[in-house]
Amino acid sequence: MTEILTYRAAVQSDWPAIEALLLAARLPLDGAREHLEHFLVGEVDGAVQSAGGFERYGPAALLRSVVVAQRLQGQGAGKHLLDALRDKARAAGVETLYLLTTTAAGFFEKYGFQRIERETAPQSLQASREFQGVCPASATLMAAPLGRSQLPVAVLGAGPVGLAAAAQLLARGFTPLVLEAGAGVGANLESYRHVRLFSPWRYNIDKAARKLLETHGWNTPDLEELPTAGEIIDFYLKPLAQLPELAPHIHTGQRAVQVARAGFDKVKSRGREAAAFTVRTVGAQGEQDYQVQAVIDATGTWSQPNPLGSNGLPALGEAAAAGRIDYGMPDVLGAARASFAGRRVLVVGAGHSAVGSLLALAQLAEEAPGTQIVWAVRGKQLDRVFGGGEADGLPARGQLGLRLRTLMTSGQLELHTGFRIQSVRLQGDALQVAGNGTAGELRGIEGIDRIIAATGARPDLQLTRELRVRHDPWLESTDALAPLIDPNEHSCGTVRPHGHRELAHPEPGYYAVGAKSYGRAPNFLMATGYEQVRSVVAALAGDFAAADDVQLELPETGVCNTRQAYAAEAAADSGCCGGPAPAGSVGCCALDVKEKARGASGCAASGCSV
């Protein structure tokens, strides 16, 4: 079986291993170590088994020291290393890649290099050590152009949607350049790997990624089972990222901090669309710029949580109390158990993340006496939190709401509705949370030991400050997408099909996808992101027939907007949107998703949302 090589930038401590490989292959050492910043190494189980790099001379570069351990030769490792080095050279702005070889001209010819006369090489290359005597005069000079048309497409983020984009790019003949801030793929999911998703496997696997995996013998999981976030990483994302077609193109530990047009600031127009993009990253090796032909931004929103303050700003004192606040979904029953057991815990938020934490705390309270649960929400209507109950198209999501209702009626939960947080202060050994009611009256919650802020998240808009982008002014989503996803009108399952046209910005070639495209709207599902990137990549390939043929199959919520499934009987009695409830529906205006996509009016359009 072919061993999986993972690639990364070389560091000085790799030199002994690189040197040993070069000596074993009888390749020259002179000058190699001085250019180690442009080297990559391939590892198997942490051991360096391949290496290669280039010497940069302006727009030209000299490929050298490309070597694979003998036991891996003949398994495609050389080609994959060459692909990764080409990516690195393109990203560095290299236009032409040269090499000198005495024995491997046939190998490089198979991968686009052509033999040329030594005298035609740029003068800067001819002054290099290899030209000046390290390689014999009989060595063959070869060259391969790396023009912009061959630049990679940057994919920012190696989560489910980012890796789906990479798989779609490979299927269309593009070279993906996946830049991930975390130490591994699925870094955001890793932070809540203990959480079981309410969507089954069939909604969580991209078609192009699945096809790629199955060519390598991947066993598809039971499509009706509900995976945890950790299982998504372990059984889907990691195997996908380790495939030889994809592994050389994934660069972890590279946080994208800015995207711009190469040579153009935001103001300059003439010639702008013909320029490549520059993606600047920060990693262990410092800052680095990558040149790419397009950018698919799948950075998500999870790492930018919303603060506690009801006005969108951090509550007064929130920063000072940060050591007692957990944002997102802490592992209440596992790694973070000691922080919550026997404590008075406040959960803030009205989404599924909040519900999950509340139910985990309820279980903890049964096991750890003294654990108290307090829940604060800004609104007074909790119908949306309960979901569709037994009628929900995602049964696990419906069961979540049913369990929450049971918890509320049990008396184990101290509930504060209409509570708008203004400040968090330390009072003795506990926190005092102060706010206002819906009528402006002062309210407070005393004696809190720890807070879980399940308040949603927002996109990082600083990343594209030098691009011409257009966002919805309140959702901060891609502007044209906002009417289709507005959470005041839509749940996860009622979002209309959308693709590259709705995701496009005034900056051609830049697309925000996945949760990032939704901005602050919380109703995103992975299946939506997979169809987004399929459409975007088809558009980049010029296949607009496929790009415009958007097929979005999502589970129905079983209810209309905020109306509860539990009120189905009352809705049937009182009529729906001025008339009788649709035959077979379980709640007011519960239209089939495909009917909504064809323009059928739902509750919001008819004015009967609650």
Side-chain angles (χ1 to χ4, degrees):
M1 180 179 175
T2 302
E3 295 186 77
I4 301 297
L5 283 160
T6 57
Y7 296 90
R8 61 171 174 81
V11 295
Q12 286 297 327
S13 59
D14 293 321
W15 177 248
I18 296 172
E19 182 182 42
L21 287 172
L22 294 176
L23 289 172
R26 298 182 181 180
L27 292 175
L29 301 176
D30 286 2
R33 190 169 188 176
E34 288 88 332
H35 296 274
L36 206 59
E37 64 180 304
H38 296 308
F39 269 64
L40 293 175
V41 294
E43 295 179 314
V44 176
D45 296 329
V48 174
Q49 299 294 322
S50 69
F54 55 86
E55 299 177 12
R56 175 76 185 278
Y57 298 96
L62 184 64
L63 188 70
R64 61 165 303 167
S65 307
V66 178
V67 61
V68 176
Q70 186 174 7
R71 68 186 184 85
L72 296 181
Q73 292 177 9
Q75 299 182 27
K79 176 187 180 300
H80 295 139
L81 174 59
L82 181 59
D83 287 343
L85 286 168
R86 274 177 153 158
D87 283 355
K88 188 174 180 66
R90 288 190 190 104
V94 173
E95 296 176 3
T96 306
L97 197 58
Y98 296 84
L99 63 88
L100 286 165
T101 182
T102 57
T103 61
F107 169 84
F108 288 106
E109 278 183 322
K110 290 191 298 183
Y111 301 112
F113 284 83
Q114 297 181 336
R115 303 175 193 236
I116 61 174
E117 297 297 324
R118 291 175 71 111
E119 294 75 17
T120 63
Q123 290 297 314
S124 56
L125 260 70
Q126 294 192 35
S128 68
R129 291 194 190 182
E130 286 209 345
F131 268 86
Q132 292 300 312
V134 172
C135 281
S138 60
T140 301
L141 177 64
M142 308 184 76
L146 302 178
R148 191 200 161 194
S149 62
Q150 297 184 39
L151 284 175
V153 175
V155 178
L156 309 184
V161 176
L163 290 187
Q168 294 284 350
L169 287 166
L170 286 173
R172 289 279 184 172
F174 289 99
T175 299
L177 174 68
V178 183
L179 301 170
E180 166 58 46
V185 299
N188 285 344
L189 289 171
E190 189 68 50
S191 70
Y192 57 96
R193 66 163 28 248
H194 57 286
V195 175
R196 190 165 299 280
L197 308 185
F198 51 64
S199 54
W201 273 110
R202 64 190 173 100
Y203 291 115
N204 299 323
I205 303 173
D206 172 68
K207 292 178 181 178
R210 179 177 176 178
K211 183 176 181 180
L212 195 58
L213 282 162
E214 289 177 343
T215 62
H216 290 272
W218 182 65
N219 293 320
T220 307
D222 184 339
L223 296 181
E224 300 308 316
E225 285 190 358
L226 301 173
T228 63
E231 288 168 343
I232 293 285
I233 298 171
D234 297 337
F235 302 124
Y236 173 49
L237 296 183
K238 283 185 177 179
L240 179 62
Q242 291 171 352
L243 295 181
E245 296 90 340
L246 194 51
H249 309 298
I250 299 175
H251 303 263
T252 57
Q254 292 291 317
R255 179 179 297 278
V257 292
Q258 286 285 296
V259 182
R261 284 284 189 181
F264 290 78
D265 64 20
K266 192 173 187 175
V267 176
K268 189 174 180 181
S269 297
R270 184 172 297 175
R272 182 181 190 86
E273 293 184 12
F277 288 89
T278 296
V279 180
R280 177 162 296 174
T281 65
V282 174
Q285 305 301 311
E287 292 182 324
Q288 186 169 349
D289 281 349
Y290 293 89
Q291 303 296 309
V292 298
Q293 61 172 294
V295 177
I296 298 176
D297 182 354
T299 52
T301 61
W302 187 256
S303 58
Q304 289 84 228
N306 289 327
L308 292 171
S310 62
N311 57 4
L313 302 177
L316 295 172
E318 183 171 345
R324 296 191 182 202
I325 302 173
D326 296 274
Y327 296 88
M329 294 190 73
D331 191 0
V332 170
L333 295 171
R337 183 186 182 95
S339 298
F340 299 97
R343 307 293 178 87
R344 180 169 161 83
V345 183
L346 170 65
V347 178
V348 181
H352 293 104
S353 295
V355 176
S357 291
L358 289 168
L359 295 175
L361 286 166
Q363 181 177 334
L364 181 62
E366 294 177 0
E367 302 168 359
T371 305
Q372 300 177 39
I373 313 167
V374 186
W375 184 23
V377 295
R378 294 178 190 170
K380 288 192 173 182
Q381 295 293 332
L382 299 177
D383 296 347
R384 185 186 297 272
V385 187
F386 295 126
E390 297 291 353
D392 203 304
L394 291 174
R397 181 175 58 194
Q399 288 300 315
L400 205 64
L402 291 172
R403 291 170 61 198
L404 176 63
R405 177 170 285 275
T406 300
L407 175 63
M408 290 182 62
T409 58
S410 71
Q412 300 178 62
L413 181 63
E414 179 184 321
L415 175 63
H416 297 261
T417 60
F419 192 91
R420 299 171 181 177
I421 295 177
Q422 301 298 323
S423 67
V424 179
R425 304 290 190 194
L426 187 63
Q427 188 178 60
D429 293 330
L431 296 174
Q432 178 192 54
V433 181
N436 300 113
T438 53
E441 72 278 13
L442 295 178
R443 296 172 61 183
I445 304 174
E446 308 285 342
I448 297 299
D449 297 307
R450 198 158 194 92
I451 298 174
I452 296 177
T455 47
R458 57 185 64 179
D460 176 11
L461 301 183
Q462 285 296 110
L463 184 66
T464 54
R465 184 167 184 175
E466 284 305 312
L467 295 183
R468 296 177 176 182
V469 291
R470 184 176 291 129
H471 296 104
D472 179 76
W474 47 87
L475 291 184
E476 295 183 349
S477 66
T478 302
D479 191 49
L481 187 57
L484 308 182
I485 64 170
D486 186 345
N488 296 295
E489 307 293 343
H490 294 281
S491 68
C492 305
T494 65
V495 172
R496 286 174 49 197
H498 59 272
H500 73 106
R501 297 192 187 279
E502 292 84 1
L503 297 168
H505 284 268
E507 193 76 70
Y510 169 79
Y511 298 90
V513 298
K516 178 73 174 280
S517 69
Y518 274 46
R520 298 192 185 198
N523 47 350
F524 172 74
L525 289 175
M526 269 190 270
T528 306
Y530 295 158
E531 185 61 3
Q532 285 181 340
V533 296
R534 186 207 60 78
S535 174
V536 165
V537 173
L540 290 175
D543 186 355
F544 291 102
D548 290 332
D549 184 21
V550 182
Q551 301 292 330
L552 191 58
E553 297 180 8
L554 295 176
E556 297 178 53
T557 60
V559 295
C560 169
N561 285 359
T562 59
R563 192 172 298 276
Q564 300 169 249
Y566 317 104
E569 292 181 6
D573 291 338
S574 61
C576 179
C577 303
S585 73
V586 294
C588 177
C589 301
L591 294 176
D592 180 82
V593 174
K594 293 181 180 178
E595 291 177 347
K596 288 181 179 288
R598 289 195 296 267
S601 61
C603 268
S606 304
C608 80
S609 60
V610 295

